[in-house]
Amino acid sequence: MENLIQLNNGEYAISAVYNDQVIADYRDNPLIEALPPIRSIEEAFVQLGYLPEYDENEIQLSAHYRYHSLTRLTRFYQPLEKTLELEIRFSRLLRDGYVYRNPRNKTHAETLIELHRRLENKEPLGLPPDIRKTASSLSIIGFSGMGKSSAIERVLSLYPKVIIHKYPLNIMQVPWLKLNCPNDGSPKTLCLDFITKMDGILGTNYFKQGLKRESLSYLIIHIGQLARAHCLGVFVIDEIQHMLTAKSEVSNSMMNFLVTLVNEIGIPIVIIGTTKAKQLLQVNFRQARRAGGHGELIWEQMKKDDNWEVLLSSMWKYQWTKEKVELTKEWQDVLYEESQGIVDIAVKLFLLAQSYAIETGIEKISTSMISHISKKYLSMTRKMLQALKEGNLDDIAQYDDITPFDIDDFLLQREKSVNMRDLITKQKEKMAAKREEKEISVLQKVILTLINLDIDAKYAETEAKKVIKENPKISSQEAVQLALTNINQRVQYENEKMKNKKNKRSTNIIFKIVDNGRKERNSAHDSLINKGLIIAPFSDKKLF
């Protein structure tokens, strides 16, 4: 594509295309004009969702293929009202942050020169207030497993990682950068992670030997210079609750660092964490500018309303058991009871129930199976879910960081129960499953295509396996053509065989006598006696 430019790291960035802006504040600012257009609610809903590929004929596949297909459910994403609210807030936060950072204004160059001078002289940070007027922040707070991280990932996916502005601007714009808060809660570690991530995105080499020995103030100026030079739109920091495990002086140092990012460097930030970090943010982050009212977004579990029904309806078609079940009110009630409206848990229960049904050969999920699965495999979350059900905030806080187990690990451990012992094949299929653009393996595609052509499922699977085994590098389209050729040749062979058998009968004198006798309603025995080929019992006649 003409608008793609390859970077030094082999990744691709888009070349800036400038769109006219409706809002006056956003006009004549290339950093905003190069962003995707502001989305309506309807557009955001469609673009934020992700419905994996699914074919009804997949239920005819062997158990081990269907078992692998289950992981596709982990990529299912249905945007909720909170997701749409987050998209709107992020869109404003990003654009507002660019209003006073226009590279066409001389203050942009002046700021870069000033940051470079302070970096060279190792002077403390301190920038004129006019370049940071619109810097703001947004906090996203909620319990583990509520979908905070998934939601921000989906929102970020709507914006490019890098935009290339050609001459005369010559800027590599980074609309967003996301990091996890270090486990030790250290701001210096976060600074080093920031520089490393920038290098990874841009293909640059800003991380130099000896950088780890520099002071925190030096590193802050350094990332400030990088953020301004590459027009960083929003800095997203997830898992901010990690600060709670650090010593108080380290924790305070991190919060001061975040405030500095907003107030001194002028970079909007999004902070994501569990409810344990809420008080820490309220006390220590109050100095950060909140221009535009972006404020705080509380991420709670879903209510059992129309949104819950919409979510389950979108998810319900993804059934790989031989016998499907309809979505009823009982199913909605049971899944809500066992998940308490936490989408991550609801999806995993639906997946695990199918896994259990396929593994045991039951091949049909039931509401009682959901309860059994919840007790057996999600025991670590049950106390938290009970606290949510009772609405006891003190009890909820105790289980704040309990996260549902890793579904991929579970499936790998149970895989041997569905005859998937080949480690090489398993690794290849696992890697293939993680590529969104290639949801179904070549073998599965060939089998499904043959089935759609009214070829018997078992016959289609046998022929597809044979073709791919003999031609491991063959494409799915070529494999289908070859399989059809083989099938046609086999049919022709069988027809020819039947024809020869029929011709052989017609030329055999005995068969001919018998067939002619049947036309006269004589038995084969009588016809042969009449022609003198056999003699009747106790007869004095002799043959020939």
Side-chain angles (χ1 to χ4, degrees), residues 139-161:
S139 300
I140 305 174
I141 302 298
F143 298 107
S144 294
M146 294 293 182
K148 305 180 298 299
S149 298
S150 298
I152 194 65
E153 291 285 356
R154 293 302 302 167
V155 170
L156 294 177
S157 71
L158 302 181
Y159 296 88
K161 290 183 178 180

Side-chain angles (χ1 to χ4, degrees), residues 144 239 241 244 274 276 384 396-403:
S144 294
E239 307 292 354
Q241 70 275 5
L244 297 171
T274 61
K276 283 186 176 180
M384 181 185 74
I396 292 172
Q398 294 179 33
Y399 308 108
D400 185 56
D401 289 326
I402 293 180
T403 306

Side-chain angles (χ1 to χ4, degrees), residues 318-335:
Y318 296 101
Q319 295 186 48
W320 284 277
T321 52
K322 291 291 186 183
E323 188 174 349
K324 291 189 174 184
V325 297
E326 296 294 324
L327 177 61
T328 61
K329 187 177 184 302
E330 180 187 9
W331 271 105
Q332 294 178 40
D333 293 342
V334 168
L335 279 171

Side-chain angles (χ1 to χ4, degrees), residues 184-248:
D184 59 3
S186 166
K188 187 171 182 178
T189 304
L190 186 64
C191 285
L192 295 172
D193 290 346
F194 180 100
I195 299 169
T196 303
K197 189 66 176 278
M198 272 289 195
D199 282 340
I201 293 173
L202 300 171
T204 50
N205 190 26
Y206 291 119
F207 194 98
K208 300 175 182 178
Q209 293 292 333
L211 201 58
K212 292 182 179 181
R213 294 192 294 270
E214 296 291 350
S215 65
L216 176 60
S217 59
Y218 178 90
L219 291 174
I220 290 175
I221 297 174
H222 191 35
I223 70 168
Q225 185 186 40
L226 292 181
R228 299 289 298 188
H230 292 291
C231 303
L232 176 60
V234 177
F235 184 24
V236 182
I237 308 172
D238 201 353
E239 307 292 354
I240 199 69
Q241 70 275 5
H242 287 170
M243 289 191 305
L244 297 171
T245 62
K247 296 179 180 179
S248 59

Side-chain angles (χ1 to χ4, degrees), residues 413-536:
Q413 291 170 9
R414 306 295 296 177
E415 210 166 18
K416 60 185 178 181
S417 299
V418 286
N419 197 29
M420 291 294 287
R421 296 183 176 88
D422 189 336
L423 295 178
I424 297 175
T425 302
K426 179 178 65 178
Q427 185 64 21
K428 288 182 178 178
E429 289 181 353
K430 183 181 178 183
M431 291 170 63
K434 289 184 178 179
R435 299 189 188 101
E436 293 183 356
E437 70 274 11
K438 191 175 181 182
E439 295 291 347
I440 303 179
S441 69
V442 172
L443 178 58
Q444 287 173 280
K445 284 184 178 180
V446 174
I447 295 173
L448 291 174
T449 303
L450 293 175
I451 291 172
N452 287 330
L453 294 173
D454 294 329
I455 294 172
D456 180 74
K458 290 185 178 179
Y459 193 40
E461 182 175 336
T462 301
E463 195 59 45
K465 284 181 176 179
K466 179 182 176 184
V467 168
I468 292 174
K469 183 179 180 181
E470 294 174 352
N471 307 274
K473 295 184 179 180
I474 197 171
S475 68
S476 57
Q477 185 177 3
E478 292 171 335
V480 169
Q481 292 174 349
L482 184 55
L484 288 174
T485 300
N486 293 345
I487 291 170
N488 288 333
Q489 290 176 348
R490 184 174 295 183
V491 170
Q492 289 177 3
Y493 173 76
E494 293 294 336
N495 290 339
E496 193 68 28
K497 188 176 179 182
M498 289 297 297
K499 184 178 179 181
N500 292 337
K501 186 176 181 181
K502 185 176 181 182
N503 290 339
K504 184 177 180 181
R505 179 180 180 91
S506 64
T507 56
N508 187 294
I509 186 64
I510 294 177
F511 285 145
K512 191 173 183 180
I513 291 171
V514 171
D515 290 341
N516 290 335
R518 283 176 177 169
K519 292 178 181 179
E520 298 175 2
R521 296 186 177 181
N522 292 328
S523 67
H525 184 263
D526 291 342
S527 296
L528 294 173
I529 288 176
N530 292 338
K531 292 294 182 180
L533 294 177
I534 61 175
I535 59 174

Side-chain angles (χ1 to χ4, degrees), residues 97-162:
Y98 278 138
V99 168
Y100 281 88
R101 290 190 288 154
N102 191 333
R104 288 178 179 153
N105 296 339
K106 67 176 184 178
T107 53
H108 176 76
E110 291 173 348
T111 301
L112 290 178
I113 293 171
E114 178 63 16
L115 280 168
H116 182 72
R117 187 188 68 80
R118 292 176 183 272
L119 189 66
E120 289 290 319
N121 298 326
K122 297 189 176 182
E123 295 179 5
L125 189 65
L127 298 176
D130 60 321
I131 68 166
R132 53 181 192 261
K133 289 179 181 177
T134 57
S136 185
S137 63
L138 169 65
S139 300
I140 305 174
I141 302 298
F143 298 107
S144 294
M146 294 293 182
K148 305 180 298 299
S149 298
S150 298
I152 194 65
E153 291 285 356
R154 293 302 302 167
V155 170
L156 294 177
S157 71
L158 302 181
Y159 296 88
K161 290 183 178 180
V162 184

